[in-house]
């Protein structure tokens, strides 16, 4: 397979980290945005400099998304963008502050949106944007208390993907949304302490890898529900 240029947000741990490792193992060029520099350095230490690069940035505070281009000047195209980073704040609705909502919407909605906008010139008609959301963001799915900031902010990605697929049209990148069920990560432990998920991060990473590289041949503007349990 041709070497692809792949951007993954939230690649320092959890599902994103497993996805970074999978993409590197398959020989692709990978650029990661996450806050934890120490964790990103760990990946850098065991990978080839040409293949792996990272930006230790907080997606909630980036002011100019055009700065992202500085990290990928030599990439003519971005073949796959995984908007994977996520922020889950679990609190009763009455205790959620404006800052909680703002932080949730910045990381879960604004950052993916502005990344897509700023990278637009690097996408081709064969590029694929994969927005990672949650089953809790799917209309009509089973919902759980105290996840209103998280669920509502992640739900925006569903509509965004549908609208942009139309707006970009046949000449633009494809854009799809994957709504995940439970995967055994720190985030799941925060939302549902003690739960045992049926899926491990490396298993979900295998699925997302195939999805990112192949699914856009068959779908655009679609929401794929990827879950076998509730939650
Ligand atoms: N695990 C599940 O059961 C589950 C279910 C449904 C959907 N999802 C979705 O799957 C995606 C991955 O989740 P996960 O379970 O792997 O979560 P995780 O283990 O908590 O990892 C979250 C990742 O997002 C990054 N991140 C969070 N806030 C950030 C910020 N402000 N700036 C930059 N990076 C940020 C974190 O990196 P740093 O801390 O280094 O910044 C980390 O790499 C998320 O979008 C989540 O909503 C997960």
């Amino acid at each position: 397979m041709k070497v692809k240029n792949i951007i993954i947000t939230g690649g320092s741990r959890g599902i994103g980290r497993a996805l970074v490792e999978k993409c590197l193992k398959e020989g692709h060029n990978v650029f990661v945005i996450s806050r934890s520099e120490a964790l990103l350095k760990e990946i850098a230490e065991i990978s080839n400099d040409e293949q792996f690069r990272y930006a230790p940035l907080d997606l909630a505070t980036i002011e100019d998304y055009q700065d992202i281009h500085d990290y990928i000047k030599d990439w003519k195209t971005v073949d796959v963008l995984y908007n994977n980073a996520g922020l889950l704040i679990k609190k009763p609705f009455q205790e959620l502050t404006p800052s909680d909502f703002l932080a949730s919407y910045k990381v879960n909605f604004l950052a993916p949106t502005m990344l897509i906008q700023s990278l637009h010139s690097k996408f081709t008609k064969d590029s694929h944007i994969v927005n990672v959301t949650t089953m809790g963001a799917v209309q009509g799915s089973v919902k759980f208390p105290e996840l209103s900031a998280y669920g509502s902010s992640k739900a925006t990605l569903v509509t965004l993907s549908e609208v942009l697929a139309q707006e970009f049209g046949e000449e633009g990148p494809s854009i799809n949304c994957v709504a995940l069920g439970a995967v055994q990560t720190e985030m799941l432990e925060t939302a549902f302490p003690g739960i045992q998920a049926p899926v491990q991060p490396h298993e979900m990473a295998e699925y997302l890898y195939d999805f990112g590289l192949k699914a856009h041949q068959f779908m655009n503007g679609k929401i794929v529900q990827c879950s076998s349990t509730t939650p």
Side-chain angles (χ1 to χ4, degrees):
M1 183 183 279
K2 183 179 163 276
V3 172
K4 305 282 188 191
N5 295 329
I6 299 176
I7 299 182
I8 302 172
T9 67
S12 61
R13 54 197 163 80
I15 297 164
R17 170 72 171 258
L19 182 60
V20 171
E21 288 169 359
K22 170 71 180 171
C23 293
L24 290 173
K25 190 170 145 223
E26 297 298 331
H28 301 294
N29 299 321
V30 180
F31 169 49
V32 172
I33 305 170
S34 279
R35 291 163 302 180
S36 316
E37 190 160 15
L39 295 176
L40 296 169
K41 276 188 178 155
E42 275 176 18
I43 309 174
E45 275 164 21
I46 51 164
S47 38
N48 162 346
D49 280 354
E50 308 242 312
Q51 216 194 338
F52 178 70
R53 59 189 75 183
Y54 64 86
L57 299 175
D58 184 342
L59 289 165
T61 60
I62 294 179
E63 297 215 332
D64 188 351
Y65 278 82
Q66 283 305 117
D67 293 348
I68 297 298
H69 285 263
D70 292 346
Y71 295 89
I72 50 166
K73 276 186 184 137
D74 54 319
W75 287 10
K76 286 202 174 68
T77 62
V78 170
D79 300 305
V80 188
L81 166 64
Y82 289 99
N83 277 317
N84 163 77
L87 172 66
L88 184 150
I89 297 175
K90 186 181 186 197
K91 276 188 191 177
F93 179 67
Q94 290 302 115
E95 291 172 23
L96 281 163
T97 63
S99 312
D100 291 330
F101 276 105
L102 262 181
S104 304
Y105 274 76
K106 278 184 175 170
V107 176
N108 297 335
F109 167 68
L110 192 63
T113 306
M114 298 318 293
L115 270 179
I116 295 167
Q117 192 185 66
S118 81
L119 292 169
H120 195 261
S121 61
K122 296 228 183 229
F123 292 132
T124 71
K125 68 180 178 51
D126 297 320
S127 300
H128 190 192
I129 299 160
V130 180
N131 288 326
V132 179
T133 186
T134 169
M135 280 303 295
V138 174
Q139 203 176 15
S141 67
V142 175
K143 303 293 186 292
F144 297 91
E146 304 189 1
L147 294 176
S148 56
Y150 174 66
S152 62
S153 59
K154 281 284 187 182
T156 59
L157 292 177
V158 173
T159 307
L160 182 79
S161 305
E162 290 175 336
V163 173
L164 290 186
Q166 292 305 312
E167 187 162 335
F168 294 158
E170 286 185 7
E171 292 310 307
S174 300
I175 176 164
N176 290 297
C177 209
V178 185
L180 305 186
V183 182
Q184 201 65 50
T185 66
E186 285 174 41
M187 182 182 283
L188 183 78
E189 188 56 34
T190 306
F192 302 101
I195 194 176
Q196 285 301 312
V199 180
Q200 297 301 316
H202 72 275
E203 294 169 318
M204 186 49 73
E206 292 283 336
Y207 177 82
L208 286 174
Y209 174 80
D210 285 339
F211 189 89
L213 273 72
K214 295 182 196 150
H216 57 312
Q217 294 166 22
F218 309 105
M219 62 180 85
N220 189 18
K222 298 291 183 286
I223 316 307
V224 174
Q225 299 182 23
C226 184
S227 174
S228 58
T229 57
T230 306

